[in-house]
Amino acid sequence: MKTEYAKLSEESIDPEVISRAGRILQEGGLVAFPTETVYGLGGDALNPESSKKIYAAKGRPSDNPLIVHICRMKDLVPLVAEIPDAALKLAAAFWPGPLTMIFKKTDLIPMETTGGLSTVAVRFPSNKIAAALIDKAGGFVAAPSANRSGRPSTTTADHCREDLDGRVDMILDGGPVDIGLESTIIDLTEEKPVILRPGKITRAMLEEVLGRVEVDRTILSGDSSLAPKAPGMKYRHYAPKGALTIVEGDRAAVTEYINRQCDACRAEGIRTGVLCTDETRDAYRADSVKSAGSRQDEDAVGRVLFRLLREFDTEEIPVMFSESFEDAAAGQAIMNRLMKAAGHHIVHV
Ligand code: AMP
Ligand code: MG
């Protein structure tokens, strides 16, 4: 398949391009597109064949459900068996935006889209290109992150090209995304709301609207025998090709430990990479030192995390170390992605 590329800007969306992309989706094809979180790999959520194609293009296990994207609040109604009060409150506070809610589904959504589950994940993105595309596609677009399964999510159209060229009909280039980490997922099908995946909308923000909110205990746990409620969270994810270790401890001990490891690798002829912050970047002796920005600016760290992990791949770095972001307020989301990228390999010094 030859992939078509088109550049779009949120400020002035070319109607001809967006109509063509919408038509591709309506006809059962696949289009990668920008959202405010990461790029999505879209197909018609109501068409089981489209969902099968998404799994094939990503190389994703088919028990890992897709998020259904809408562009109007009223389109939630036919998708879900009931709309709990909590959902209305959250929608009023955070939609359109980086929050995904899990509902009991109706028959409108095929099991192919929900990975065989009787629940459905729904998001209403704020990115204007995403909204226009969903509208032109008929209102319901299933879209996981637009990366090959297991790799870091894509935050630019170039990353989409790396992973999906020849596997999708079209890639819409809307420039680098704003947030860089996937949506927060909250399950509203149980008695208590439960966060299944941390994201930009933090627990504190959700609790301000709903009162107490639980967090799925597998989210930051290193115990891989626990089964997460979001099926996708159990898979190896976001991973660079080399081996990544997170190093946690006080700043001086972390830099010293990482430098010793890097020196030992160099003695063996092994190239190393370090993912750090502006505060410490000059302290490292690795072959490739990448700063995710200042520790004071967590939004910036989230925005570049996946891009930096991909850069290590491009540079073919086999051994990497990362500082920890445990103490960050939005750190839950950053640490959750990093822990998965590292296969839960964390060292305390
Ligand atoms: P991605 O599409 O790459 O952002 O991944 C979607 C995430 O949403 C995966 O971790 C899925 O397991 C999770 N998800 C989607 N639908 C459901 C659902 N019905 N119940 C629980 N988790 C879901
Ligand atoms: Mg993903």
Side-chain angles (χ1 to χ4, degrees), residues 216-229 233-235 340 343-344:
D216 188 81
R217 64 201 180 99
T218 64
I219 280 179
L220 286 174
S221 159
D223 182 351
S224 54
S225 67
L226 296 173
K229 260 214 79 187
M233 298 303 277
K234 74 176 177 250
Y235 292 108
K340 287 187 176 290
H344 288 280

Side-chain angles (χ1 to χ4, degrees), residues 262-308:
C262 291
D263 291 345
C265 284
R266 181 167 299 122
E268 308 258 322
I270 299 168
R271 290 164 64 240
T272 51
V274 171
L275 181 60
C276 61
T277 45
D278 287 354
E279 288 80 355
T280 49
R281 70 180 308 159
D282 293 335
Y284 289 108
R285 297 194 292 270
D287 296 290
S288 177
V289 178
K290 296 182 191 301
S291 170
S294 167
R295 256 184 200 277
Q296 308 308 317
D297 187 356
E298 290 167 16
D299 286 347
V301 174
R303 199 173 299 131
V304 299
L305 179 67
F306 288 137
R307 172 169 65 76
L308 298 181

Side-chain angles (χ1 to χ4, degrees), residues 58 60 144-145 147 153 182 197 237-238:
K58 272 185 73 98
R60 179 173 185 149
S145 49
N147 52 282
S153 302
E182 304 83 349
R197 178 170 73 184
H237 239 98
Y238 319 122

Side-chain angles (χ1 to χ4, degrees), residues 60 64-67 102 117 119-121 143-145 182 185 196-197 229-233:
R60 179 173 185 149
N64 185 357
L66 309 175
I67 294 173
I102 312 275
L117 296 178
T119 53
V120 60
S145 49
E182 304 83 349
I185 303 182
L196 304 187
R197 178 170 73 184
K229 260 214 79 187
M233 298 303 277

Side-chain angles (χ1 to χ4, degrees), residues 170-219:
M170 193 175 194
I171 295 178
L172 294 178
D173 182 350
V177 300
D178 288 341
I179 297 174
L181 300 173
E182 304 83 349
S183 58
T184 305
I185 303 182
I186 187 163
D187 185 357
L188 301 174
T189 64
E190 308 279 351
E191 222 162 280
K192 291 224 170 74
V194 186
I195 297 171
L196 304 187
R197 178 170 73 184
K200 170 97 181 162
I201 309 287
T202 60
R203 180 183 193 171
M205 291 160 79
L206 295 164
E207 289 194 327
E208 210 163 290
V209 177
L210 294 185
R212 188 155 174 81
V213 171
E214 307 292 322
V215 180
D216 188 81
R217 64 201 180 99
T218 64
I219 280 179

